[in-house]
Amino acid sequence: MINIENLSVRFDNAEVLQSINLDIPEGTWSCLVGPNGAGKTTLLRTMLGMQPYSGSIKYNDREIAKNKSLNIAFVPQRPSIPAAMSVAEYVMLGRAKLDGWGKESAHSRNIVHEMLEATQLLGMQSQLVNTLSGGEMQRVLIARALVQEPEVMLLDEPTSALDLHHQIAVLNKVEEIKSTGVTIVSTMHDITLGAMYAERIIIMQSGRVLLDGESHSVIHSPELRSAFDDRISVHLLENGRPVIIAAKRATG
Amino acid sequence: MKKNQIDRVWRWQITASAAAALLIACLLGVGFGPVNLNFGSIIRTLLGLPNGLESEDRTLLLELRLPRVVLGALVGAALATSGAVYQSVFRNPLADPYLLGVASGAGLGATIAITNGGGDLHALLPIFAFLGGVLAVAATFLVAGRLFADPSTLLLAGIAVGSFATAFQTYLQQRNSAALRPVYSWILGELTVANWDVVKWAGFYILIALAVLIRISKVLDALMLSDEEAYSLGVSPQKIRMIAVAAATLATATAVSASGLIGFVGIVVPHLVRGLTKRATNRSLLSIAFVGAAFLVIADLGARTLLSPAELPIGVITAFVGAPFFLFVLRARNRGSQ
C-alpha cells in the first residue's frame, strides 16, 4: 500500500505539487492523467524519492525519503541511450541494486536471460542500444526495470514513442507484471488506453489531484473534461468501452 | 554462453591482458633508444639481481629512460582514464579530458610562466600550468552556475572559458614573440623534462585521482542510465558526477602540467578498449588506464627514435598514429553493429 498524505513540492518559488492525498493499494495499476504541466512526472519523481518534498509518502508504512532499501523501478519517458552498449549489458545494470555494482551472479545472468525472453528481446542481446527502434528500446527499458524485481514500478509515458501495435504489446507486458503483485503507477497521455489497462485513474491539474477513482467512473466525470478545459469528448463504443478524443471547438 | 544465461559483462582476463600490454610497452620503452639495452640485463637490474647493467648503461636506464617511461605511463593512464570518465559523465562519446577548459587554462598558465619568467619562472612552469588548468575548470563551474544542473550548460561554459584563456594566451604571445617557440613546443607535449622529482609529484596526484576513479568505476555505470533510473538503483547521480569530474580534472591538470598538451589519448584509448572488448561498462576503467599508459609509452618511444637523434613532439605521434587507427576501429565497430 502506498499512502501519500498532504504532499507538496516546490521548485524555487513555485508550488508544483499541492496537498496531494492518495492511497494506492498493492498490486494495482494507477494511471495519472492531465494536461502538460499538471505535475504528473514530478509526482512520479517524488514517489521515487528523488525530489525533496513536504508531507509524507509511505510504502507499507516506510517513508520513502528515509528508506533507501525500497526497491522501486522507474521507466523514463526520455531514456539515456549510451553509445556502444549492448542490450544485455544495459539490462544487466538493473541487477546492480540486488547484486552490488560490478557484480554479476549466475542467478542474475539467468534472470536477465529470462526477462529478455519475456520482452521478446532474446537474440538481440548483443545489439547496441543506440541502434534500436523506439519500440525495441521501450522493451529494453522495461526489461531493465523488471530485472530489478521491484515492489513498485513507476512508468513515465511508457507508450508515447510507440505505434499502436507496440503500445498494446508494452501495456500487455505491464499488465502481466501487475498480475505478479507489483504495484504500477504510470502517466499516460492516451486516456483511452489508460482506462483500458489501469483500474484507477488519477486526474491532475496545476499540481493538484482533481479526482481519483475507478477508471470507468472517472472517465465519465465532469472533472476529466474540466481538467482539459472541456476540450475532450467521451464516446462509447458498441461494447461499452469509452473512447476519449479531442473535441473540436466551435469557431466564431 | 551457457544455456539460459547471458554472457558475462566483464572478465578479469581482459584487465590482465591490458596489464601485460603495459609491461611489454614499458620494457620496450626502456630497452630501445639511440643505445639499445639488453632486456635480460634490464630485468636483472630492476629486480636487483646480479649481472645487471653497469656504469653508463645503468645510469641511462635508471636516471633517464625509466623516469621518462614511468612519467609517460602515468600521463597516458591519467589522460585515457579521464577521457573515459568524462565520456560517461557527460554522456557524450566525443568528450575529452580537455573539455572543461583545463587545457586552455594550463596553456595560459604555462605561457605566463614562459613569457614573464625567463629562466627563473620556467622551472615553475608545471605549477603555473597546474594552477591555470584548475582555475579554468573552477571558472567553468562558476559560469555554469548550479553544479550539473544541466551537463550541456557546463560544456558550453567550458568552451567559453577555454576560448577566453586561449585569447589571453595569444595576446601574451603576440606581445612576446620570443616565447612563441617554447610555448608551442610545450603545447605539442613533451616528456623530455622527466626526472624522478617530476615523476614523484605527478605520480602522487595522478595515482590518488586514478584510485578514486577506479574505486567508483562500477557505480559510474549508473550514469549510462537516466538520472531517475540511476536513483532507483540506489545511486545519487549528482554526487557521483561531482566526485568523478573532480578526480578526472586533478588527473588531467597534473598530466598537462607534467608533459604539456598531449592530444587524442583521452578519446582514442577509451574507444579502442571499448571497441575491442565490445563492452561499454566503466569496469573497463582499469584496462583503459593500462592501455593508455602503454599507448603513451610506445608513442614516446616513437618520438625518441623515429628522427633520432632529434625528437618529435609526442603529441604529433599520438595524433599521427592514433587518428587513423581510431578511424579503423570506428569503421569496424559500425560495420559490426549493422
Side-chain angles (χ1 to χ4, degrees):
Chain A
M1 179 75 133
I2 307 173
N3 308 98
I4 299 179
E5 270 176 47
N6 210 15
L7 174 77
S8 297
V9 170
R10 298 184 74 87
F11 286 163
D12 299 323
N13 286 323
E15 200 160 38
V16 286
L17 293 181
Q18 298 174 49
S19 323
I20 289 180
N21 292 289
L22 287 171
D23 290 324
I24 299 171
E26 212 165 284
T28 58
W29 184 342
S30 303
C31 181
L32 306 172
V33 303
N36 293 336
K40 305 181 297 278
T41 300
T42 306
L43 179 55
L44 282 191
R45 284 168 58 95
T46 312
M47 289 176 73
L48 185 61
M50 245 186 125
Q51 198 67 55
Y53 60 86
S54 61
S56 111
I57 306 176
K58 286 183 175 155
Y59 290 77
N60 294 329
D61 297 324
R62 291 177 292 172
E63 187 71 34
I64 176 70
K66 292 179 190 145
N67 206 317
K68 300 272 180 214
S69 66
L70 279 164
N71 194 348
I72 306 168
F74 194 97
V75 176
Q77 181 180 7
R78 274 187 289 271
S80 158
I81 303 176
M85 184 176 254
S86 72
V87 167
E89 205 182 337
Y90 193 89
V91 174
M92 191 73 190
L93 291 177
R95 294 295 294 174
K97 189 161 185 169
L98 298 170
D99 271 7
W101 288 92
K103 299 209 174 87
E104 36 181 335
S105 62
H107 175 63
S108 286
R109 289 188 286 135
N110 282 328
I111 299 245
V112 170
H113 188 279
E114 200 178 292
M115 290 308 169
L116 288 175
E117 195 166 24
T119 44
Q120 287 107 47
L121 290 165
L122 213 56
M124 294 173 68
Q125 63 264 45
S126 306
Q127 205 168 321
L128 302 180
V129 286
N130 55 354
T131 64
L132 299 178
S133 72
E136 289 162 349
M137 189 62 212
Q138 199 64 36
R139 299 211 301 275
V140 169
L141 291 176
I142 288 180
R144 196 219 49 76
L146 280 180
V147 299
Q148 206 174 327
E149 299 183 68
E151 303 156 56
V152 178
M153 207 159 148
L154 308 173
L155 301 105
D156 196 5
E157 298 291 344
T159 55
S160 62
L162 306 179
D163 62 33
L164 286 174
H165 164 74
H166 284 105
Q167 285 183 7
I168 298 296
V170 163
L171 294 174
N172 284 345
K173 188 69 222 164
V174 177
E175 193 166 52
E176 245 178 81
I177 302 161
K178 186 196 81 177
S179 68
T180 63
V182 177
T183 309
I184 310 279
V185 182
S186 69
T187 67
M188 243 191 264
H189 264 107
D190 189 330
I191 310 167
T192 307
L193 270 182
M196 231 166 96
Y197 283 88
E199 48 261 82
R200 284 158 56 91
I201 297 245
I202 298 160
I203 305 175
M204 293 186 70
Q205 189 190 30
S206 312
R208 291 174 181 278
V209 169
L210 275 193
L211 187 66
D212 146 41
E214 187 264 327
S215 296
H216 280 262
S217 64
V218 169
I219 262 188
H220 295 288
S221 68
E223 282 89 345
L224 182 66
R225 278 197 294 278
S226 110
F228 289 91
D229 292 338
D230 286 322
R231 286 181 198 185
I232 55 169
S233 59
V234 181
H235 302 267
L236 287 180
L237 295 179
E238 281 173 4
N239 61 9
R241 276 214 166 128
V243 175
I244 295 133
I245 55 172
K248 195 176 175 193
R249 276 197 163 176
T251 50
Chain B
M1 186 173 88
K2 260 194 212 168
K3 215 180 161 210
N4 298 335
Q5 221 174 55
I6 61 151
D7 278 343
R8 279 189 176 283
V9 171
W10 194 252
R11 291 173 190 280
W12 64 266
Q13 288 92 333
I14 305 174
T15 316
S17 315
L22 173 58
L23 268 180
I24 293 170
C26 288
L27 213 52
L28 295 175
V30 291
F32 289 119
V35 177
N36 293 338
L37 302 175
N38 175 286
F39 289 125
S41 310
I42 294 173
I43 293 170
R44 281 194 293 277
T45 310
L46 293 179
L47 296 178
L49 299 173
N51 298 325
L53 295 168
E54 284 181 17
S55 60
E56 285 152 7
D57 284 353
R58 190 181 168 82
T59 312
L60 175 66
L61 173 69
L62 296 180
E63 298 305 323
L64 288 173
R65 291 222 183 129
L66 197 57
R68 186 164 173 158
V69 162
V70 174
L71 186 66
L74 284 168
V75 168
L79 294 178
T81 313
S82 306
V85 168
Y86 277 129
Q87 285 147 27
S88 289
V89 167
F90 295 106
R91 296 176 175 143
N92 183 343
L94 290 178
D96 94 345
Y98 302 143
L99 199 69
L100 299 180
V102 69
S104 324
L108 177 59
T111 308
I112 291 174
I114 293 169
T115 52
N116 291 328
D120 297 341
L121 266 187
H122 206 123
L124 295 175
L125 191 149
I127 296 170
F128 271 73
F130 181 79
L131 286 177
V134 171
L135 284 176
V137 176
T140 298
F141 276 99
L142 215 65
V143 174
R146 284 195 300 172
L147 284 185
F148 292 111
D150 171 20
S152 59
T153 309
L154 199 62
L155 290 186
L156 292 173
I159 292 171
V161 169
S163 304
F164 182 80
T166 307
F168 196 36
Q169 181 189 334
T170 311
Y171 169 76
L172 287 178
Q173 282 171 10
Q174 291 303 325
R175 291 190 39 142
N176 190 341
S177 54
L180 276 176
R181 204 160 175 273
V183 167
Y184 274 110
S185 147
W186 183 82
I187 284 175
L188 286 169
E190 53 184 8
L191 290 172
T192 46
V193 293
N195 59 48
W196 285 117
D197 283 339
V198 177
V199 169
K200 268 185 213 156
W201 72 256
F204 177 74
Y205 292 115
I206 289 177
L207 289 179
I208 287 180
L210 289 186
V212 170
L213 293 174
I214 304 288
R215 175 97 177 74
I216 62 166
S217 60
K218 293 165 185 165
V219 184
L220 271 178
D221 280 356
L223 301 182
M224 304 264 189
L225 302 169
S226 68
D227 280 6
E228 288 86 357
E229 288 165 289
Y231 196 88
S232 84
L233 293 170
V235 172
S236 163
Q238 301 289 74
K239 209 166 108 191
I240 291 293
R241 273 192 204 115
M242 236 150 77
I243 298 171
V245 167
T249 300
L250 177 63
T252 307
T254 312
V256 171
S257 36
S259 64
L261 299 180
I262 300 175
F264 234 66
V265 183
I267 289 201
V268 171
V269 174
H271 284 282
L272 182 66
V273 172
R274 288 174 174 157
L276 290 176
T277 58
K278 295 199 167 71
R279 299 288 191 268
T281 176
N282 283 295
R283 284 152 78 187
S284 61
L285 228 49
L286 188 56
S287 303
I288 288 174
F290 287 147
V291 173
F295 180 72
L296 210 61
V297 168
I298 295 296
D300 185 49
L301 179 60
R304 280 189 283 130
T305 52
L306 284 181
L307 291 184
S308 174
E311 277 209 20
L312 272 171
I314 189 169
V316 171
I317 304 272
T318 55
F320 225 70
V321 180
F325 192 51
F326 180 51
L327 290 175
F328 171 76
V329 172
L330 268 187
R331 267 187 72 91
R333 198 187 70 180
N334 285 346
R335 224 178 284 137
S337 66
Q338 273 164 13

